Amino acid sequence: MNKITELFKIKYPIVQGGMIWASGWKLASAVSNAGGLGLIGAGSMYPEVLREHIQKCKKATTKPFGVNIPMLYPNIEEIMKIVVEEGVKIVFTSAGNPKTWTTHLKEQGITVVHVVSSVKFALKAEQAGVDAVVAEGFEAGGHNGRDETTTLTLIPMVREKISIPLIAAGGIATGNAMYAVMALGADGVQMGSRFVASEEASSHPDFKQKVVEAGEGDTHLTLKELAPVRLLKNKFYDDVTQLYTKGPTIDELKELLGRARAKRGMFEGDLVEGELEIGQVSGLIHDIKPAATIVQQIVEEFSETKTQMSTTLF
Ligand SMILES: Cc1cc2nc3c(=O)[nH]c(=O)nc-3n(C[C@H](O)[C@H](O)[C@H](O)COP(=O)(O)O)c2cc1C
């Protein structure tokens, strides 16, 4: 038995990462219906919008699904209250201290998973009592750690130190990548970028198309002084790079970022001035597909790789 399928009561150990402006109820329910675990990304939702997404997700699937809550966002108390009121069974927390909410959520009978990008925080999450950890490497789309530890090195280092179930994230968009991280000690995978280029993602179609067109070297981790984030290079990214040549203060960086940049880019489709969060693996994503097809293909590729590897002789 696989620890992740057992923990969440799902068919495949494939989690669709919570993603601002991409993962609403449509994507989450599609992934859950396909046998993975879909997550609603609460980070871009006002509390009542989140409630609506949870209620719609409950109608769209009878399978388990969860909510991802980045703890740096405002309204966190209200978001946690809604999650409990709506009977959500699985919560993935990120971007904050795992100690803050884990005990409270667990007391409500909720399965809690925390997202980390280092061994240090994986240990903190385990000590805080979470049920599993997502370890996310430097390749990943969206916000990330400062240490630049890649998935290939992060997963075995975290595996060495923790004993709870481990989910690998960052750079995984194929079944053979899933096989690779499981060989390194992960019990399952979380994928973000691959699901942005899905029919059900709520991201703007122009952003999805840009993801499909992206190639190697088209993303970069920047804004480390605020909250490190991996972005597709565009005019906004160039403006940030230009500002860095002047040795900016934190306030100058904040001023350039302004408000609602991510919404503008990923939801409204402003590919010039918006913030476009995506992972390095976008270079391997060549089409926009239904989420169920993505899940099915990953599972098939994983099986093929398994057979191939078992017959490979050195
Ligand atoms: C557009 C986008 C938005 C994201 N938003 C969030 C978020 O709100 N909360 C979070 O914990 N992770 C977020 N992530 C990270 C994903 O959940 C996932 O861990 C990551 O994408 C995995 O790496 P990959 O992009 O290489 O698959 C986001 C990623 C992307 C691409």
Side-chain angles (χ1 to χ4, degrees):
M1 227 4 212
N2 173 280
K3 286 181 190 169
I4 295 301
T5 56
E6 219 173 315
L7 180 66
F8 301 131
K9 302 191 175 47
I10 53 175
K11 196 166 175 196
Y12 308 120
I14 298 173
V15 178
Q16 162 256 306
M19 293 179 286
I20 55 163
W21 306 115
S23 65
W25 68 272
K26 273 190 194 160
L27 179 58
S29 60
V31 172
S32 288
N33 282 331
L37 182 73
L39 298 182
I40 296 172
S44 49
M45 296 177 183
Y46 289 115
E48 286 311 315
V49 174
L50 173 64
R51 192 192 293 280
E52 202 184 309
H53 277 262
I54 296 170
Q55 289 174 351
K56 286 187 172 161
C57 203
K58 282 194 275 195
K59 285 195 184 121
T61 184
T62 53
K63 303 274 168 55
F65 70 92
V67 176
N68 167 263
I69 307 177
M71 294 186 283
L72 52 73
Y73 285 93
N75 306 322
I76 186 85
E77 310 256 338
E78 221 178 323
I79 296 254
M80 293 295 184
K81 196 165 153 261
I82 286 174
V83 158
V84 173
E85 279 170 8
E86 292 297 327
V88 170
K89 304 269 187 316
I90 302 166
V91 167
F92 279 45
T93 53
S94 60
N97 187 341
K99 266 191 180 167
T100 321
W101 287 98
T102 301
T103 310
H104 170 74
L105 292 171
K106 289 210 54 92
E107 276 167 6
Q108 312 297 318
I110 295 174
T111 300
V112 182
V113 181
H114 188 65
V115 185
V116 302
S117 55
S118 68
V119 174
K120 185 176 152 195
F121 279 93
L123 281 166
K124 277 194 178 179
E126 186 175 49
Q127 281 153 15
V130 301
D131 296 282
V133 153
V134 174
E136 193 187 58
F138 175 66
E139 301 91 326
H143 291 280
N144 208 314
R146 289 187 170 76
D147 292 339
E148 309 197 350
T149 312
T150 60
T151 304
L152 191 74
T153 48
L154 180 65
I155 299 308
M157 284 194 278
V158 171
R159 179 74 295 165
E160 198 175 64
K161 298 287 182 200
I162 66 163
S163 54
I164 55 174
L166 169 60
I167 301 166
I172 305 159
T174 59
N176 48 22
M178 177 173 168
Y179 186 90
V181 290
M182 289 181 77
L184 293 172
D187 301 297
V189 294
Q190 170 167 294
M191 305 192 307
S193 297
R194 177 59 270 195
F195 284 114
V196 169
S198 70
E199 284 175 7
E200 295 86 349
S202 56
S203 333
H204 194 281
D206 292 353
F207 172 49
K208 294 186 193 180
Q209 190 53 35
K210 189 89 179 154
V211 171
V212 167
E213 287 163 15
E216 189 250 323
D218 286 348
T219 72
H220 195 248
L221 188 82
T222 188
L223 293 170
K224 280 190 170 180
E225 296 76 5
L226 302 182
V229 62
R230 180 170 296 282
L231 299 181
L232 257 178
K233 294 175 182 171
N234 65 350
K235 175 178 177 291
F236 168 63
Y237 169 82
D238 291 341
D239 290 347
V240 172
T241 311
Q242 180 62 29
L243 184 59
Y244 268 115
T245 62
K246 297 179 187 145
T249 61
I250 302 265
D251 282 342
E252 282 168 330
L253 287 170
K254 276 189 188 160
E255 197 188 321
L256 175 60
L257 180 62
R259 292 183 69 82
R261 276 274 179 194
K263 181 182 186 190
R264 191 166 168 184
M266 297 186 281
F267 194 66
E268 293 168 357
D270 183 343
L271 304 182
V272 179
E273 296 290 348
E275 186 181 337
L276 307 174
E277 300 182 11
I278 208 72
Q280 286 183 338
V281 80
S282 51
L284 267 182
I285 298 169
H286 308 306
D287 48 13
I288 298 162
K289 291 191 278 223
T293 308
I294 295 173
V295 172
Q296 210 44 53
Q297 284 181 350
I298 299 277
V299 172
E300 282 162 21
E301 283 167 11
F302 180 89
S303 295
E304 282 163 20
T305 310
K306 200 166 134 192
T307 311
Q308 214 181 334
M309 295 307 282
S310 67
T311 56
T312 302
L313 293 175
F314 289 100

